[in-house]
Amino acid sequence: MAETHRLRVLHAAGSELERGFPYGVVRQLLEPLLLGAKRSERNALLTGPARAAAGVLGIVPDGAESDYAVHHALFRLLVGLSATRPLLLAVDDLGLADEPSLDFLHYLAQRQAQHPVVTLATLTAGNGGSGPLPIGLLRIHQAAQVCRLEPLDEAGVGALLTVAGQPAPPAVCAELTWITAGNPFLVTSMIDRFIVDGPLLERMREPGAEALVPPEISRDLALRLARLPAEAGLLARTAAVLGEGASVTTAARLMDVRPAVVLDAVEALAGADVLRQSGVISFSAPLLRSVLYGMLAHGERSRMHTLAAHALWDDGAQPSEAAAHLVRADGSGDSWAVEVLRAAAGKASAPQAAAGYLRRALAEEPSEDVRAELLAELASAELSGGGSDAARHLAEAVALLPPGLHRAEAREQLGRVLWGLGRYAEAERAFGDGLADVGTEGGAVGPRLRAACLAAARLQRGVDQGGLARLQGAPAESYLHEPAMLAQLALELVLAGGPRDRVVELAESALAGGRLLSQQTCCGPAYQAAVCALVWADELDAAERAATLAIEDAQRRDIGPALGVMLLLRSCAWFRRGRLPEAQRDAEAATHLVPALLPVPVPPADALLAEIRLELGQLAGAREGARRAVDTTAARADETAAGKVQHALALATRGRVELSHGDPRQAMSDLLTCGDRLREAEVRNPAVAPWRSRAAIAALRLGDRDRAAALAEEERELAEAFGAPRPIGLALAAVATTTGDRSERGRDLGEAAAALERSPALLDRAHVLADLGGELRRRGHRRASRDALRSALDLAVRCGADVLAKRARQDLVATGARPRRTRISGADSLTPRERQIAELAAEGQTNRAIADRLIVSQKTIEWHLANAYRKLEIRGRAALGESLTES
């Protein structure tokens, strides 16, 4: 700035190396100018009173003039220089200047106001080292105008970033201001050294980030500490270990000195701008702690952390405070450290933190029995926080534990983890070995292990009819209080064919109160079994809620295979409820997560997507997906019972798709093979796969009415034995289709529609109503036909079933009716997704909560709600409840 105003600027800087060299700063100011001048110019400047300055500047031999003569000569020299051009003397690091130069600058400060000479000097906090300021500095302070610079704020840091050509978003400016406390030297060093971004600054918050610190900051801090007493340097290192907010008492204990010595050291470090003058450890800038921490050798750092942990524990600190130091120290076989770390893990608020403490405890090399306990606790924490090492640690714990209940409990947990990861054969071995461990004295874990063994046996070999019969004949108290057993029995009853009410009772009892999810997590076979039983028992609302809870649990734990299974179960529930967009989204998400072998009898993801696409009118995609599902599952069809069921359900889907494409022969082949596979796996319930009713339609199209009627009647009998409204309705619809008597056909379709009125399966009800409306139209019952078709059209539109909606509309037009347009406003105009989100918002859930539940972004929720507000003609969620009720 001075140069833009035509001032001549002379530079100098104090230096530790030149502090003992007389007039070193003065020489820096004047030597470059004089030595670069012509002899005649130099002689002119050094005439008269200024001649005595020549010796000080080394231009002629020193005549040993008095200090006053030298100072006056230097002053006259500067006055001579300013005669042709105003002069600015810029002196940096004044605290490191030599004493003679300080004396001259004081002399100059008293006289320069009469001449066009300005002196600007800087003094950094702590620049002069410990102790009182030199007399020369005190005199300059008294004579000078002092301007104390405040730390840079976020705007100032942003300006420096901009000048350096770097982006300056508010978050980065705030973080950089925080770690440097606005110190310009620290800020500019960071900017010059790095491309500053969020992740870098987050890492700078933690001790041990010394590799990120620019070396000039480390050198500067080392020089500052070198000027201080030894106690101050020791406190600086101790403070780096203890961290912000540590007490003076704790620091004194680590340093093995009296607290008064620490207070003196704090004062010295505050003078050097390392710590703040405070009753506790407080750094002038958080970045300095990282620098100091990096100066410690590994051994010293480990030793000091261990001492800090002991001091904090002795002072009654929380376990986490002492454990935070132990995790940074090396293991030394200390049982006390294991005790502290386990206590911290037990009180940790986050599973990841607990796992970190327990891993560190293992480094102390505890005894085998303690190590086994630690491994089990570690696996539990890893499973809660998404760790992938839980199975390995549990297996190691099992190997160390002696036979008995504790080992059985560890094996049960190991089996659940393996099950959740899709490693079912290993899980079965763990469950079986655990059951062998408990013997007849099973305690609480015995029933859980028996239920898990039942699940594993079903997956490998099919329904255990003998075991199921024994279980059904056992006293109720043998399983009444064990949710896992209730859940497994519910699924076995579903597969065996009922009764439906008993299935629902068992499954809902198992899930009541959330105990089963808490006990088994999303990984447990029993929880998956309970949700699957509810899906096939037509309790779709309960199944959806239970699946959503498990999905949230799986996401929190980051267990992909278990998450995929629960997404697939929820997709099945949503598909049967006619919520096609939600069903499609969940099935697509499950595709990349589910294990190769599904642990519960649900269609594979590709098969379920094929059925959804069929309803959406995406026929080519449906056919391709169905074929892929069959091909993928064929390889595993003969390996396990679950593989047979999975292949059978894929064949059932392909059979339906081929029927829609007009290939009844291929459909018949697929559906009959599906039936064979299900019989081999002892799955008789048509709720799982209505293959008989679909095969009946294929047989009818092939001209075999007798076989069609027999298949439909067999399904009706089985469905009525089970007692769920959806399979009964589908079976009655198949019976109606295969009968040759038109009057009976209309009656059966009416009964089918009535049965489905009791079911939440809106999509199936829409199909049956469309069939009923078409049949009534052909028989000339126009009014009744229109009522049925209008209901079918309304349901199809609500479900997003485009193919069915088009068919119902065409039949309605054929009756002479003029179907109303799909509404463009009001509650009926909402898409299924918009209505779902609006209903959740009306219940009081936040956008974030809705997004987490539906596994979408918050922006998606906001977009759907905005559309809903527009269609409902309201301004916000306060009016949602009333607007939705009016529909």
Side-chain angles (χ1 to χ4, degrees):
M1 290 171 64
E3 289 173 346
T4 62
H5 291 277
R6 298 189 66 255
L7 273 73
R8 175 180 287 151
V9 181
L10 305 180
H11 296 275
S15 168
E16 186 78 34
L17 295 176
E18 296 183 6
R19 206 170 187 181
F21 183 58
Y23 292 105
V25 167
V26 171
R27 282 175 174 267
Q28 287 184 55
L29 287 169
L30 296 172
E31 276 183 344
L33 178 68
L34 294 176
L35 294 177
K38 295 179 181 179
R39 181 183 296 273
S40 58
E41 295 173 344
R42 186 167 60 240
N43 290 338
L45 289 171
L46 293 173
T47 57
R51 181 180 298 277
V56 172
L57 299 174
I59 295 173
V60 297
D62 189 354
E65 288 87 351
S66 67
D67 289 342
Y68 176 82
V70 171
H71 293 167
H72 188 68
L74 291 170
F75 169 68
R76 295 308 306 173
L77 175 59
L78 292 174
V79 170
L81 285 170
S82 68
T84 57
R85 190 175 172 188
L87 197 62
L88 171 67
L89 308 183
V91 182
D92 203 2
D93 290 328
L94 195 62
L96 298 178
D98 59 279
E99 281 286 348
S101 292
L102 290 174
D103 290 340
F104 166 68
L105 291 174
H106 175 246
Y107 181 91
L108 176 62
Q110 294 175 311
R111 293 165 175 77
Q112 68 183 25
Q114 308 302 321
H115 303 278
V117 178
V118 176
T119 303
L120 179 65
T122 66
L123 178 64
T124 303
N127 224 359
S130 63
L133 290 175
I135 189 67
L137 273 180
L138 290 174
R139 288 171 178 164
I140 290 174
H141 263 279
Q142 188 174 15
Q145 178 182 348
V146 178
C147 176
R148 296 188 181 277
L149 300 180
E150 295 297 325
L152 292 169
D153 58 12
E154 294 177 22
V157 171
L160 287 180
L161 283 166
T162 302
V163 169
Q166 295 200 37
V172 169
C173 293
E175 187 76 359
L176 189 54
T177 304
W178 181 81
I179 65 170
T180 61
N183 183 301
F185 168 66
L186 300 180
V187 173
T188 52
S189 296
M190 290 292 292
I191 292 174
D192 291 343
R193 174 78 174 177
F194 297 107
I195 299 296
V196 179
D197 57 22
L200 165 67
L201 297 175
E202 289 173 10
R203 291 161 63 196
M204 290 302 307
R205 282 178 175 267
E206 294 296 324
E210 60 276 3
L212 304 174
V213 177
E216 56 267 30
I217 297 178
S218 301
R219 289 194 295 267
D220 174 77
L221 185 56
L223 284 172
R224 276 190 266 170
L225 293 177
R227 302 183 197 117
L228 302 178
E231 291 81 3
L234 177 58
L235 175 60
R237 296 192 298 276
T238 303
V241 170
L242 289 175
E244 193 77 16
S247 70
V248 169
T249 304
T250 304
R253 183 175 298 182
L254 261 69
M255 294 169 62
D256 196 21
V257 297
R258 292 177 292 107
V261 175
V262 175
L263 291 174
D264 290 342
V266 168
E267 185 175 358
L269 289 168
D273 200 29
V274 177
L275 297 182
R276 293 188 179 94
Q277 189 74 51
S278 172
V280 297
I281 301 299
S282 179
F283 289 89
S284 60
L287 178 60
L288 295 182
R289 184 190 176 191
S290 293
V291 179
L292 288 165
Y293 196 82
M295 291 179 176
L296 296 173
H298 177 82
E300 182 182 11
R301 187 185 303 175
S302 176
R303 180 184 62 81
M304 292 181 72
H305 275 302
T306 302
L307 290 174
H310 275 283
L312 288 167
W313 187 258
D314 292 342
D315 288 343
Q318 291 295 319
S320 59
E321 297 179 63
H325 288 283
L326 288 175
V327 296
R328 295 184 177 276
D330 296 330
S332 57
D334 192 343
S335 60
W336 168 83
V338 175
E339 175 191 349
V340 173
L341 290 162
R342 289 182 76 176
K347 293 188 175 183
S349 57
Q352 294 88 341
Y357 293 139
L358 293 167
R359 290 190 191 100
R360 172 61 184 82
L362 288 171
E364 296 292 341
E365 299 183 358
S367 60
E368 280 196 359
D369 56 337
V370 175
R371 181 176 180 81
E373 294 172 3
L374 281 172
L375 287 165
E377 293 169 14
L378 173 57
S380 180
E382 288 172 332
L383 186 58
S384 297
S388 59
D389 294 329
R392 178 170 58 84
H393 288 136
L394 276 169
E396 188 178 346
V398 165
L400 293 172
L401 287 169
L405 282 177
H406 287 309
R407 190 166 76 176
E409 289 169 350
R411 279 185 162 145
E412 191 255 345
Q413 188 179 13
L414 171 60
R416 280 194 285 107
V417 175
L418 293 168
W419 190 279
L421 294 172
R423 295 158 60 180
Y424 304 115
E426 296 172 71
E428 182 180 22
R429 286 195 294 272
F431 293 140
D433 291 344
L435 200 56
D437 272 335
V438 297
T440 56
E441 300 296 326
V445 74
R448 296 202 301 270
L449 283 165
R450 279 192 285 274
C453 287
L454 193 62
R458 177 192 49 74
L459 188 145
Q460 296 293 332
R461 294 173 289 282
V463 178
D464 182 359
Q465 296 290 358
L468 183 60
R470 288 192 298 275
L471 190 58
Q472 287 180 284
E477 57 269 16
S478 66
Y479 59 83
L480 189 60
H481 302 295
E482 178 45 58
M485 188 62 79
L486 296 175
Q488 200 57 49
L489 180 56
L491 182 59
E492 301 303 336
L493 285 175
V494 160
L495 300 181
R500 181 256 182 194
D501 290 345
R502 180 61 173 153
V503 168
V504 174
E505 177 189 358
L506 289 168
E508 290 185 340
S509 297
L511 295 171
R515 187 157 66 101
L516 184 60
L517 182 60
S518 174
Q519 179 191 88
Q520 292 246 321
T521 74
C522 59
C523 298
Y527 196 90
Q528 296 172 352
V531 177
C532 187
L534 289 174
V535 170
W536 298 133
D538 221 14
E539 286 294 319
L540 302 181
D541 288 343
E544 179 193 328
R545 288 193 300 271
T548 299
L549 289 173
I551 287 167
E552 293 168 353
D553 187 56
Q555 288 172 322
R556 185 168 58 252
R557 299 175 191 279
D558 192 23
I559 302 175
L563 174 60
V565 171
M566 299 315 300
L567 283 169
L568 204 53
L569 283 166
R570 189 171 71 174
S571 180
C572 286
W574 272 345
F575 176 57
R576 277 149 188 76
R577 289 185 62 186
R579 296 169 67 167
L580 297 181
E582 292 88 343
Q584 184 174 22
R585 187 204 65 230
D586 274 3
E588 287 173 347
T591 302
H592 307 291
L593 296 170
V594 289
L597 185 65
L598 293 172
V600 285
V602 291
D606 282 332
L608 186 54
L609 281 169
E611 294 218 39
I612 295 168
R613 288 169 181 148
L614 194 62
E615 297 290 350
L616 296 173
Q618 303 167 8
L619 303 184
R623 196 172 202 182
E624 179 185 351
R627 289 177 175 175
R628 184 168 56 250
V630 171
D631 293 342
T632 303
T633 57
R636 295 183 296 275
D638 295 322
E639 296 175 359
T640 62
K644 284 186 174 67
V645 174
Q646 205 167 318
H647 185 54
L649 296 180
L651 286 167
T653 296
R654 191 170 73 174
R656 184 187 175 197
V657 171
E658 293 301 328
L659 270 178
S660 299
H661 274 77
D663 189 350
R665 193 169 300 281
Q666 179 63 53
M668 189 71 172
S669 173
D670 284 344
L671 292 164
L672 292 178
T673 305
C674 164
D676 292 340
R677 293 288 190 186
L678 290 177
R679 287 192 193 95
E680 291 172 11
E682 299 188 62
V683 178
R684 303 175 64 248
N685 196 336
V688 178
W691 65 270
R692 297 171 184 83
S693 58
R694 293 173 183 171
I697 297 172
L700 192 63
R701 292 183 184 177
L702 291 170
D704 193 345
R705 183 175 294 276
D706 291 340
R707 188 173 193 183
L711 286 166
E713 182 60 27
E714 181 184 358
E715 181 160 311
R716 183 190 64 78
E717 292 175 358
L718 291 170
E720 289 178 347
F722 180 51
R726 176 180 176 267
I728 289 174
L730 294 179
L732 287 171
V735 169
T737 302
T738 58
T739 185
D741 189 330
R742 278 198 163 186
S743 61
E744 290 184 5
R745 186 181 307 165
R747 183 200 64 202
D748 289 340
L749 283 172
E751 290 180 3
L756 288 166
E757 284 285 345
R758 305 191 303 273
S759 168
L762 298 186
L763 191 57
D764 294 306
R765 192 197 314 172
H767 276 285
V768 170
L769 285 170
D771 291 341
L772 176 60
E775 179 63 27
L776 292 172
R777 178 181 63 81
R778 286 186 290 273
R779 293 175 58 188
H781 302 305
R782 289 194 172 189
R783 183 183 296 275
S785 173
R786 288 171 181 173
D787 289 342
L789 288 169
R790 283 195 178 100
S791 296
L793 177 58
D794 180 64
L795 288 173
V797 170
R798 285 171 58 185
C799 294
D802 297 338
V803 175
L804 180 58
K806 182 179 179 181
R807 173 188 150 201
R809 184 176 286 107
Q810 289 173 344
D811 280 355
L812 194 53
V813 170
T815 67
R818 300 177 64 183
R820 62 176 174 82
R821 262 186 334 154
T822 301
R823 295 182 60 185
I824 60 172
S825 65
D828 287 343
S829 68
L830 300 180
T831 65
R833 173 51 64 85
E834 289 167 353
R835 187 176 187 94
Q836 178 192 23
I837 292 172
E839 287 173 349
L840 293 172
E843 293 172 4
Q845 296 196 34
T846 65
N847 290 359
R848 178 73 270 163
I850 298 172
D852 291 342
R853 174 173 177 174
L854 302 183
I855 322 177
V856 295
S857 70
Q858 194 167 339
K859 287 186 177 180
T860 300
I861 300 301
E862 293 167 357
W863 184 78
H864 281 301
L865 275 178
N867 286 340
Y869 296 156
R870 175 177 52 79
K871 292 179 179 180
L872 295 172
E873 300 177 352
I874 59 176
R875 293 190 175 183
R877 65 176 64 209
L880 275 173
E882 183 179 352
S883 299
L884 293 171
T885 304
E886 289 176 355
S887 67

